[in-house]
Every structure is written in structure tokens, then in C-alpha cells.
Amino acid sequence: MSDFFQKVSQHYNQNLPFVIYSKPNSSISFGLFQEDSSLNFHENFNQKGFILNSFTSDKKIFFPLDKCAQLSTENDFERIEANPELKDSCSEEAKQKFETLVSEAISKIESGTCNKIVVSRKEIQVITGFNLVETFQKLVQFYPTAFKYCVFHPEIGLWIGATPEQLLKVCGNSIETVALAGTKMKDEIDEDWGDKEKVEQQLVTNFILESLEPFIAEKSVSKPYTHQAGNLLHIKTDISAKMEDKSQLGEVLKVLHPTPAVCGFPKEKAKDFIVENEGYNREFYAGFLGELNYEAENLESENSDLFVNLRCMKIENNKANIYVGCGITKDSNPELEFFETVNKSKTIKKVL
């Protein structure tokens, strides 16, 4: 085992905080390792380090660069075979509960209150023989185009994910983000996207562009295209722009998060519905995470690289809490939306 993964195991066994991650299409994994168990919070957008922001932004966990040891390793570990596919762990009761939630969201949309609401559920999978290092290596191996990570702190637990969605990339005054929506299986790649998915994706694109407008001097928007993330396909639009003032990064993040891809539109009304009706606390699911004002590959840089926390799970007490959701519009079908969450859960189950 490399020094990097020995450090990971040592920290985890000693209950010390750390974060390890590998960026999309990167051959390197990076780690920040705290030498004490203090829980640090993000306080201002001049700080340098790794941020883990909750869905509701009530928790902003921070790994300050000046309080962490930094290590990296090449992703050249031995290939690991995927485990046999885990059986679906959802009961009929859980299915009915989620379909009822979807129906309530559709009613809310039909009332004219919202255009879109993203509803989610937590699926609990019993696991045995969990191996943190092997799980992270599987993430890196199976999902090269995603942002792969493990974050551990004794006060928030162990969070693991492989997210396909960039929230914001900042390089000087230049910013990049994406509008991502719509879901279907990889074997449906030759099938056309339906109106429901196209409308949903356009809502996300419009929201992002309108939210950024007060802060940017110019922008560039790609045409929508099909993007593969693991065994799933999504509609994606790339958006780039120039910020008029880099000091407005905090304001830009405030208007972008949570995006319609994880919350809905209008944002505050959709968020209120989620908090009041989902029946559980999303915690860091559908929040965001990543490098803030630093790059692990270039510590002289003050760039940022942030991702939406999707395709994630929380490990505790020999159980994986798997978080999955889907965007609801007036044309949604409750049963089909449930099966979309089942398909999404298979992405992260593949590494268990």
C-alpha cells in the first residue's frame, strides 16, 4: 500500500479528519489530513482549503490548507473487479412513499407555485466488510470522468461520492459551470430525449444564466448535448463567463446554489417544499464541495473547483445511506420517477 493510502487508513482508524479526492479525467489523487479533530467551518471566501457545504447551507465544513498535511498519489493501483450487483433494497412501502411525494410535487407544480421540484429519498443498504481504501480506488477506476471523493470527520461521519456535475470552476475572472438534467440508461443512447427532459434541462440553463447576469460581463453557452456519467445519460449544456469582479465569488455561489438540478425553480419555493415534505435531512447530499481558492496541483494558484454533491452516500454502522433524487415537472410519472432513482442508486452501489 502506498504512503498515501497508509495515511488514509491511519487517519480513519485514529478518528482524525481528512478528505481525499480525484478530479475528472485526472491520474492523481490528492489528500488533506488534519492532525487534530477540530471541526472547522467556512467563514469567508478568502479562505484557502476544501469546502463541504450542505444542501441548505446551514453547515459549511472546511479543511483549511494551513491546518492540513497535503499528500498526493498516482492512480496506478491494481485494477479491482466490480462486486456482484447488490439487490435493490427498497420495499414496496418505500416505493409507495416516494411515489406519493412525487404526486404531491406534481400537484404543487400544477398549482402554479413552482415549475420544477427535485425530490429525493434515502435508501439504506446493509454492508459487510467495508474497506475505505478499496472503495475509493473503485470510485477512481469506475468513474474517471466524475469528481471522486471521500470526506471524513468524526462529527459528520464518512461521506463518499462520484459526482458528474460541476457547480463552478473559477480561473482568475473566468468561470465555468454546467446545466445538467434529464436521465436515462446508457443502453438507451440511440433514443431521443423526450419533451419532459428537454424542458427540465432548459429550466436549469435559464436559471443559471439569469442568476449570473448581474455578475458577468460576457458569456458563452453551448448547445445541449448528451453526456454519459457511469451507466446513466444526461442532457448537458456548458456555460462560461467572465466575472466583472472576482470578489463577488461568494455572491455568485449564493445565487447558484442550490441549482434547479438539485432543488427546483423558483429556488426558495422549491426548497421550502423539499424541507417540509421529504421527511428526512439531506445533510450534504445536493450540497457542494471542492477546492476553494487553491489548486492541489498548483499551490500558487487561487483558483476554485467546486462540484454538486450527487451520486453520494454516507457510511455509518455497517450501513450505506444512499441519496438519490429526480427532477419533477408537470409531465412526470410517479412510478417512472421512482425507477429513475433506483437506476441512479446503482451507480454508487457498484463500489460497495
Side-chain angles (χ1 to χ4, degrees), residues 56-305:
T56 58
S57 293
D58 61 323
K59 291 183 180 178
K60 300 178 180 180
I61 308 304
F62 203 65
F63 290 79
L65 204 58
D66 59 2
K67 293 185 179 180
C68 296
Q70 302 162 49
L71 290 178
S72 64
T73 187
E74 292 286 336
N75 295 333
D76 57 0
F77 33 80
E78 291 185 14
R79 182 173 179 82
I80 306 171
E81 295 301 318
N83 292 336
E85 191 169 294
L86 294 171
K87 293 181 179 178
D88 292 335
S89 53
C90 270
S91 64
E92 184 62 28
E93 180 183 357
K95 179 175 181 289
Q96 291 299 324
K97 183 178 179 181
F98 187 74
E99 289 177 10
T100 298
L101 176 62
V102 172
S103 296
E104 291 171 349
I106 293 172
S107 296
K108 188 76 169 178
I109 292 166
E110 289 177 339
S111 73
T113 306
C114 297
N115 297 94
K116 173 186 175 181
I117 301 173
V118 180
V119 296
S120 70
R121 64 183 178 88
K122 181 170 70 173
E123 181 177 324
I124 298 176
Q125 180 76 53
V126 177
I127 54 176
T128 56
F130 175 76
N131 183 308
L132 173 59
V133 169
E134 186 176 287
T135 299
F136 178 74
Q137 291 177 343
K138 285 180 182 178
L139 286 173
V140 171
Q141 176 184 308
F142 297 160
Y143 305 111
T145 63
F147 179 80
K148 293 79 59 181
Y149 78 89
C150 293
V151 174
F152 173 72
H153 194 290
E155 294 192 39
I156 67 169
L158 175 63
W159 286 78
I160 297 172
T163 175
E165 184 169 350
Q166 181 103 48
L167 176 65
L168 193 67
K169 186 178 181 69
V170 182
C171 182
N173 274 32
S174 298
I175 60 175
E176 297 176 9
T177 187
V178 301
L180 195 74
T183 302
K184 61 183 178 182
M185 298 298 292
K186 184 173 64 175
D187 56 11
E188 299 173 323
I189 193 167
D190 293 328
E191 298 180 16
D192 290 336
W193 289 99
D195 289 340
K196 184 258 183 188
E197 290 81 9
K198 291 177 181 177
V199 169
E200 181 186 347
Q201 204 271 344
Q202 192 60 51
L203 282 171
V204 177
T205 302
N206 292 345
F207 165 82
I208 292 173
L209 292 173
E210 290 168 9
S211 299
L212 291 177
E213 195 63 39
F215 308 102
I216 58 176
E218 57 186 79
K219 62 179 180 290
S220 175
V221 185
S222 76
K223 292 184 177 180
Y225 62 95
T226 298
H227 170 74
Q228 183 175 332
N231 63 330
L232 301 177
L233 302 171
H234 307 285
I235 311 176
K236 184 177 182 180
T237 297
D238 298 316
I239 299 169
S240 58
K242 295 279 188 182
M243 276 194 297
E244 292 184 341
D245 183 352
K246 191 183 176 184
S247 67
Q248 293 179 314
L249 173 59
E251 290 301 312
V252 170
L253 282 171
K254 188 175 180 179
V255 298
L256 284 182
H257 172 72
T259 74
V262 297
C263 180
F265 184 79
K267 179 166 68 173
E268 292 306 321
K269 290 181 178 179
K271 187 196 289 187
D272 288 344
F273 177 89
I274 290 166
V275 172
E276 292 169 9
N277 293 277
E278 275 191 344
Y280 82 102
N281 186 352
R282 288 188 178 187
E283 296 186 77
F284 298 102
Y285 164 63
F288 66 86
L289 73 169
E291 297 170 333
L292 186 67
N293 296 321
Y294 92 102
E295 283 184 283
E297 291 180 275
N298 177 16
L299 293 180
E300 299 300 315
S301 162
E302 293 189 354
N303 297 332
S304 299
D305 206 2

